[in-house]
Amino acid sequence: MSLGPAELQVLISRLTGIAEEMGAVLRRAAFSPNIKERADCSAALFTPSGELLVQAEHIPVHLGSMPASVLAAIEAFGDRLDPGDQVVLNDPFAGGTHLNDITLVAPCVADGRLIGWVANRAHHADVGGSAPGSIPADASEIYQEGLRIPPTRLDDGVRRLLLANSRTPAERIGDLDAQVGANVVGVERLAGMASAPLAEVVDYGERRMRAALAALSDGTWRADDVLDSTGAGPEQQRPARISVAVSIAGDEAAFDFTGSDPQARGNVNAVEAVTVSAVSYALRAAVDPSIPANGGALRPVRVVAPAGTIVAASPPVAVGAGNVEVSQRVADVCLRALAEPCRARVPAAGQGTMNNLLIGGDGWVYYETVAGGQGGRPDAPGMNGVHTGMTNTKNTPIEALERTFPLRVLRYRLRRGSGGAGRQPGGEGIARDLEVLEACTVSLITERRLSRPWGLFGGESGAPGENWLLPDGDESRAEPLPDKCTIRVRAGDVVRMLTPGGGGWGPPATAGSSRSS
């Protein structure tokens, strides 16, 4: 069957609506503020072979890496799944990203025929490990980060195992049941479209990407950048380099990360699926964001990520920060390399970190990523106080945060002067003070505390971020905290986070010019 342009767009919209509905079901049914309020979850549909068919507009690092989860489920079970079965996994070395991200995959079968797969991924605030939140800053092996689940048929035994390993079992079962329900809805809706020519959707994505690449100049462009550190230890407080060479030849592209540093003893390592997701995000953003986000769009793209490097880590190294921080830097270097052939689309660097804050006490765990500045864009200033790059979550509303956890927000505002100057200035970061009301453990997993978000085409860099501890809330006793740490705090202590601003785009009109307040 061949579809006309209008029919094809209607089909894509109907399929995308299924993924969006799955996300809505997941958020509405979830127990944890991290999923219900922050929307730290994603949903997508896949072809029978495991290619991405459509996705909801959720989180780039989830969605770009989710095909690896579906392929892992297919490899593990093949045709041995019955209608109604679901596969659960979080193993970064078997289709996952980091242990907090639990993925559920379900087959859609209609009239005895496999129509495709539905999948969703949600960040669970705690899956065990040596520190609340399951991303301990001092982890060097994945075994320290929590419960590791290879592709496994979900049943009551697996549920009990997960609950027994989490500090917050009531939240976990509620969030997991919400994921199950989202896939049930997705399977039902996709089965109702069993006669639709789904392969045309993926083929269309390939045609669009090939046409967009063919319109660019052939050539090779290189970029590199650094991560400030690879962990919390003194020996880990040195930069790690990520390098990429982007080559465009006709209607194909290659992203070669040869030259990136070897994987490190620490948790700042990404598995290959995370790197592929960052490539997918950067390429679509730079070339043409209207290209459908499906597996066809990646058919003309080759990613070279040498095994055992910081962008394609091998077990048993820890990878908790790879999903949240390395992914940001991979996107940064890809966009910087693409800035030459795609000058009119690529912004200066955004904050380049997710500013991960994890706090846990007796029976509770709080997780949040804090927004910052977007880089100045070719035709507009960067936005203030937004999530950039590989994340797309919301914030936890203060009312929900203070109602759920023994925490109090003392200050939450834009960090004036943090955006880089430029013809289009970078966006401002955020300044937030959070008081803890009982003794607990705090982990920080942050970046761009030493390096700065770069400006582009003459724009100035954004301000680096800062982390502080104010014992008993006393300004005179304020202590700087490193970019990555796990510490014990007492009731009344205040954690202050100043997030980075975005870089500026283009030279400032006058020396010292900056965003007007």
Short mmCIF file of all heavy atoms in Angstrom, two decimals, residues 123-153:
data_model
loop_
_atom_site.label_atom_id
_atom_site.label_comp_id
_atom_site.label_asym_id
_atom_site.label_seq_id
_atom_site.Cartn_x
_atom_site.Cartn_y
_atom_site.Cartn_z
N HIS A 123 12.13 6.66 35.33
CA HIS A 123 13.23 6.76 36.30
C HIS A 123 12.67 6.51 37.69
O HIS A 123 11.91 7.32 38.21
CB HIS A 123 13.87 8.14 36.22
CG HIS A 123 15.03 8.32 37.17
ND1 HIS A 123 16.33 8.47 36.73
CD2 HIS A 123 15.09 8.37 38.52
CE1 HIS A 123 17.14 8.61 37.76
NE2 HIS A 123 16.40 8.54 38.87
N HIS A 124 13.05 5.39 38.29
CA HIS A 124 12.64 5.05 39.65
C HIS A 124 13.63 5.68 40.62
O HIS A 124 14.84 5.51 40.50
CB HIS A 124 12.57 3.54 39.82
CG HIS A 124 11.39 2.92 39.14
ND1 HIS A 124 10.35 2.34 39.83
CD2 HIS A 124 11.08 2.80 37.82
CE1 HIS A 124 9.45 1.89 38.97
NE2 HIS A 124 9.87 2.16 37.73
N ALA A 125 13.09 6.39 41.60
CA ALA A 125 13.94 7.22 42.47
C ALA A 125 14.93 6.42 43.29
O ALA A 125 15.96 6.95 43.71
CB ALA A 125 13.07 8.08 43.39
N ASP A 126 14.65 5.13 43.52
CA ASP A 126 15.61 4.32 44.27
C ASP A 126 15.45 2.85 43.90
O ASP A 126 14.34 2.30 43.98
CB ASP A 126 15.40 4.49 45.78
CG ASP A 126 16.50 3.80 46.58
OD1 ASP A 126 17.53 4.45 46.84
OD2 ASP A 126 16.34 2.61 46.93
N VAL A 127 16.56 2.23 43.49
CA VAL A 127 16.58 0.80 43.19
C VAL A 127 17.70 0.12 43.97
O VAL A 127 18.30 -0.85 43.52
CB VAL A 127 16.73 0.54 41.67
CG1 VAL A 127 15.48 0.94 40.93
CG2 VAL A 127 17.95 1.26 41.09
N GLY A 128 17.98 0.64 45.17
CA GLY A 128 19.01 0.05 46.02
C GLY A 128 20.35 0.72 45.82
O GLY A 128 20.45 1.87 45.43
N GLY A 129 21.40 -0.01 46.12
CA GLY A 129 22.75 0.53 46.01
C GLY A 129 23.22 1.15 47.32
O GLY A 129 22.51 1.14 48.34
N SER A 130 24.41 1.72 47.27
CA SER A 130 25.07 2.14 48.50
C SER A 130 24.61 3.49 49.02
O SER A 130 24.97 3.88 50.13
CB SER A 130 26.59 2.19 48.28
OG SER A 130 26.92 3.14 47.28
N ALA A 131 23.82 4.24 48.25
CA ALA A 131 23.33 5.55 48.71
C ALA A 131 21.91 5.76 48.22
O ALA A 131 21.54 5.27 47.14
CB ALA A 131 24.23 6.67 48.20
N PRO A 132 21.09 6.47 48.98
CA PRO A 132 19.73 6.76 48.52
C PRO A 132 19.74 7.43 47.15
O PRO A 132 20.53 8.34 46.88
CB PRO A 132 19.19 7.71 49.60
CG PRO A 132 20.00 7.40 50.81
CD PRO A 132 21.36 7.05 50.31
N GLY A 133 18.86 6.96 46.28
CA GLY A 133 18.80 7.50 44.93
C GLY A 133 19.53 6.68 43.90
O GLY A 133 19.37 6.89 42.69
N SER A 134 20.40 5.76 44.36
CA SER A 134 21.03 4.75 43.48
C SER A 134 21.99 5.32 42.46
O SER A 134 22.29 4.67 41.46
CB SER A 134 19.94 3.91 42.79
OG SER A 134 19.02 3.40 43.73
N ILE A 135 22.47 6.56 42.67
CA ILE A 135 23.58 7.08 41.86
C ILE A 135 24.65 7.60 42.83
O ILE A 135 24.91 8.80 42.91
CB ILE A 135 23.13 8.20 40.89
CG1 ILE A 135 21.86 7.81 40.14
CG2 ILE A 135 24.24 8.50 39.88
CD1 ILE A 135 21.35 8.89 39.19
N PRO A 136 25.24 6.70 43.64
CA PRO A 136 26.25 7.16 44.60
C PRO A 136 27.44 7.76 43.88
O PRO A 136 27.96 7.20 42.91
CB PRO A 136 26.63 5.88 45.34
CG PRO A 136 26.24 4.76 44.43
CD PRO A 136 25.05 5.24 43.66
N ALA A 137 27.87 8.93 44.36
CA ALA A 137 28.94 9.65 43.67
C ALA A 137 30.25 8.89 43.68
O ALA A 137 31.10 9.08 42.80
CB ALA A 137 29.12 11.02 44.30
N ASP A 138 30.45 8.03 44.68
CA ASP A 138 31.73 7.34 44.82
C ASP A 138 31.71 5.93 44.23
O ASP A 138 32.64 5.16 44.44
CB ASP A 138 32.16 7.28 46.28
CG ASP A 138 31.10 6.63 47.17
OD1 ASP A 138 30.01 6.28 46.66
OD2 ASP A 138 31.38 6.46 48.38
N ALA A 139 30.67 5.58 43.49
CA ALA A 139 30.59 4.23 42.91
C ALA A 139 31.68 4.03 41.87
O ALA A 139 31.97 4.91 41.07
CB ALA A 139 29.22 4.01 42.29
N SER A 140 32.29 2.86 41.87
CA SER A 140 33.27 2.51 40.85
C SER A 140 32.86 1.28 40.06
O SER A 140 33.37 1.03 38.97
CB SER A 140 34.65 2.26 41.49
OG SER A 140 34.56 1.23 42.46
N GLU A 141 31.91 0.49 40.61
CA GLU A 141 31.38 -0.68 39.92
C GLU A 141 29.86 -0.62 39.94
O GLU A 141 29.25 -0.07 40.87
CB GLU A 141 31.85 -1.97 40.60
CG GLU A 141 33.34 -2.21 40.50
CD GLU A 141 33.72 -3.55 41.12
OE1 GLU A 141 33.26 -3.83 42.24
OE2 GLU A 141 34.46 -4.29 40.47
N ILE A 142 29.26 -1.21 38.95
CA ILE A 142 27.81 -1.14 38.82
C ILE A 142 27.11 -1.83 39.98
O ILE A 142 25.98 -1.49 40.34
CB ILE A 142 27.36 -1.74 37.47
CG1 ILE A 142 25.89 -1.35 37.20
CG2 ILE A 142 27.57 -3.24 37.43
CD1 ILE A 142 25.44 -1.65 35.81
N TYR A 143 27.79 -2.76 40.62
CA TYR A 143 27.17 -3.47 41.74
C TYR A 143 26.84 -2.53 42.91
O TYR A 143 25.99 -2.84 43.74
CB TYR A 143 28.09 -4.59 42.22
CG TYR A 143 28.66 -5.41 41.10
CD1 TYR A 143 30.02 -5.41 40.82
CD2 TYR A 143 27.83 -6.18 40.28
CE1 TYR A 143 30.55 -6.14 39.78
CE2 TYR A 143 28.34 -6.92 39.23
CZ TYR A 143 29.71 -6.91 38.98
OH TYR A 143 30.22 -7.63 37.93
N GLN A 144 27.52 -1.39 42.98
CA GLN A 144 27.27 -0.43 44.05
C GLN A 144 26.07 0.47 43.76
O GLN A 144 25.66 1.25 44.62
CB GLN A 144 28.51 0.44 44.26
CG GLN A 144 29.74 -0.34 44.69
CD GLN A 144 31.01 0.46 44.49
OE1 GLN A 144 31.36 0.84 43.37
NE2 GLN A 144 31.71 0.72 45.57
N GLU A 145 25.52 0.38 42.55
CA GLU A 145 24.49 1.32 42.13
C GLU A 145 23.06 0.79 42.26
O GLU A 145 22.11 1.54 42.04
CB GLU A 145 24.74 1.74 40.68
CG GLU A 145 26.05 2.51 40.53
CD GLU A 145 26.30 3.03 39.14
OE1 GLU A 145 26.13 2.26 38.16
OE2 GLU A 145 26.64 4.22 39.01
N GLY A 146 22.91 -0.50 42.62
CA GLY A 146 21.57 -0.99 42.83
C GLY A 146 21.30 -2.32 42.16
O GLY A 146 22.21 -3.00 41.67
N LEU A 147 20.02 -2.66 42.11
CA LEU A 147 19.57 -3.93 41.54
C LEU A 147 19.66 -3.88 40.02
O LEU A 147 19.15 -2.96 39.39
CB LEU A 147 18.13 -4.21 41.97
CG LEU A 147 17.51 -5.50 41.45
CD1 LEU A 147 18.22 -6.71 42.03
CD2 LEU A 147 16.02 -5.54 41.77
N ARG A 148 20.28 -4.90 39.46
CA ARG A 148 20.50 -4.98 38.00
C ARG A 148 19.62 -6.08 37.43
O ARG A 148 19.74 -7.24 37.82
CB ARG A 148 21.99 -5.24 37.76
CG ARG A 148 22.43 -5.27 36.33
CD ARG A 148 23.95 -5.44 36.33
NE ARG A 148 24.50 -5.81 35.04
CZ ARG A 148 25.72 -6.28 34.87
NH1 ARG A 148 26.53 -6.43 35.91
NH2 ARG A 148 26.16 -6.59 33.66
N ILE A 149 18.75 -5.71 36.50
CA ILE A 149 17.77 -6.65 35.95
C ILE A 149 18.02 -6.82 34.46
O ILE A 149 17.77 -5.90 33.67
CB ILE A 149 16.33 -6.15 36.18
CG1 ILE A 149 16.09 -5.78 37.64
CG2 ILE A 149 15.32 -7.21 35.73
CD1 ILE A 149 14.76 -5.08 37.88
N PRO A 150 18.50 -8.00 34.02
CA PRO A 150 18.57 -8.25 32.58
C PRO A 150 17.17 -8.47 32.05
O PRO A 150 16.20 -8.57 32.82
CB PRO A 150 19.42 -9.53 32.51
CG PRO A 150 19.15 -10.22 33.81
CD PRO A 150 18.94 -9.13 34.83
N PRO A 151 16.98 -8.55 30.74
CA PRO A 151 15.63 -8.77 30.20
C PRO A 151 14.98 -10.01 30.84
O PRO A 151 15.50 -11.12 30.72
CB PRO A 151 15.88 -8.96 28.71
CG PRO A 151 17.14 -8.20 28.44
CD PRO A 151 17.98 -8.38 29.66
N THR A 152 13.85 -9.78 31.53
CA THR A 152 13.20 -10.83 32.33
C THR A 152 11.69 -10.68 32.20
O THR A 152 11.17 -9.56 32.19
CB THR A 152 13.58 -10.68 33.82
OG1 THR A 152 15.01 -10.70 33.95
CG2 THR A 152 12.98 -11.79 34.66
N ARG A 153 10.99 -11.80 32.08
CA ARG A 153 9.53 -11.74 32.04
C ARG A 153 9.03 -11.22 33.40
O ARG A 153 9.39 -11.74 34.44
CB ARG A 153 8.94 -13.10 31.72
CG ARG A 153 7.43 -13.08 31.53
CD ARG A 153 6.87 -14.47 31.28
NE ARG A 153 6.98 -14.87 29.88
CZ ARG A 153 7.84 -15.76 29.40
NH1 ARG A 153 8.72 -16.33 30.22
NH2 ARG A 153 7.85 -16.08 28.12
#
